[in-house]
Amino acid sequence: MKLAQVRAALIDLDGTLVDTLGDFVVALGRMLRELGLPAVDRAFVERTVGKGSEHLLRQTLLHVTGDPQAPERWFEAAWQAYQRHYLAINGEHAAVYLGVVEGLERLRSRGWPLGCLTNKPTAFARPLLERKGLAGYFQQVWGGDAFERKKPDPLPLLKACEALGMAPADTLMIGDSHNDAQAARAAGCPVVLVTYGYNHGQPVHTAGADGYIERLDALPL
């Protein structure tokens, strides 16, 4: 893993900085009850999160109804209910992963500009970082609605690098999934993945990253 050229970092949120699976399970459960639909289990949520809330809701609606038309027919009501329930519990059932604070301190001590780049809606991401005491580490936070497209498209990384005033080749992407690796590769950013996050039920070591770490503070600097 060669990081000598790196001078900035973009870091994913869910599954990388904070274990938010509990929040997703609770918010989805409340949404589904409100709509009179069956519940989903934790394993389904774990393999479905990571591609944005819209994708999560559509996959959930398809899963619980078995109806290919359900994601569109139910989506607007589901989206309104989900936003309300998620914002009400945002961070309540979530925990910062071990080594994250120490890792962020190490990155900040190097003088690197740091950005949080997530597919989570910005209205969810910012309050979560504040609640967990992580917001102060980041110069900027970009949610999944900040740009025209989400990861794994490279556009969010390219735009974030531009905003930080950094070249992609000098900007490390740190994430937990194929989404992060694919986006980084296409954008020209080096990428390191944590091994403990959410990767859509797939082995994270198949993602083709430049390196893998068990804790954020294990990043070789």
Side-chain angles (χ1 to χ4, degrees):
M1 193 189 313
K2 298 179 181 179
L3 301 180
Q5 185 178 341
V6 171
R7 297 187 294 124
L10 298 171
I11 310 177
D12 179 53
L13 178 49
D14 298 303
T16 302
L17 295 173
V18 183
D19 180 1
T20 49
L21 192 58
D23 281 352
F24 286 117
V25 171
V26 171
L28 282 172
R30 292 182 182 181
M31 176 201 82
L32 291 167
R33 282 197 301 274
E34 181 175 322
L35 298 178
L37 294 172
V40 291
D41 62 23
R42 189 178 181 92
F44 168 82
V45 179
E46 184 169 10
R47 66 177 180 266
T48 310
V49 297
K51 295 185 178 181
S53 294
E54 297 91 339
H55 176 268
L56 174 62
L57 293 194
R58 288 192 169 93
Q59 292 301 304
T60 298
L61 292 169
L62 177 62
H63 179 75
V64 300
T65 65
D67 178 2
Q69 305 303 316
E72 293 309 317
R73 186 167 65 248
W74 288 88
F75 183 80
E76 190 55 39
W79 178 242
Q80 295 301 322
Y82 179 73
Q83 287 191 99
R84 186 171 65 256
H85 291 305
Y86 199 102
L87 287 170
I89 56 95
N90 191 4
E92 187 175 330
H93 306 276
V96 177
Y97 287 108
L98 293 175
V100 162
V101 171
E102 296 86 348
L104 291 173
E105 287 286 355
R106 289 184 67 209
L107 292 171
R108 185 164 65 177
S109 72
R110 295 182 71 88
W112 290 7
L114 303 178
C116 182
L117 182 62
T118 173
N119 280 346
K120 195 182 203 73
T122 306
F124 297 173
R126 291 184 186 277
L128 176 62
L129 289 169
E130 290 283 356
R131 183 167 187 172
K132 296 304 179 182
L134 303 178
Y137 291 103
F138 297 101
Q139 276 82 348
Q140 297 193 55
V141 177
W142 297 279
D145 51 350
F147 307 110
E148 295 89 343
R149 296 184 293 278
K150 300 178 176 64
K151 298 177 293 181
D153 194 283
L155 178 69
L157 278 76
L158 294 171
K159 292 287 190 180
C161 288
E162 182 181 353
L164 292 179
M166 304 297 294
D170 300 335
T171 306
L172 176 66
M173 179 71 217
I174 304 173
D176 69 316
S177 75
H178 282 73
N179 274 350
D180 299 303
Q182 185 177 332
R185 285 286 181 240
C189 296
V191 56
V192 169
L193 299 182
V194 299
T195 58
Y196 50 73
Y198 320 131
N199 189 40
H200 324 297
Q202 303 299 315
V204 71
H205 286 87
T206 65
D210 294 301
Y212 302 88
I213 51 176
E214 295 184 0
R215 292 168 50 121
L216 190 61
D217 58 356
L219 188 70
L221 299 176

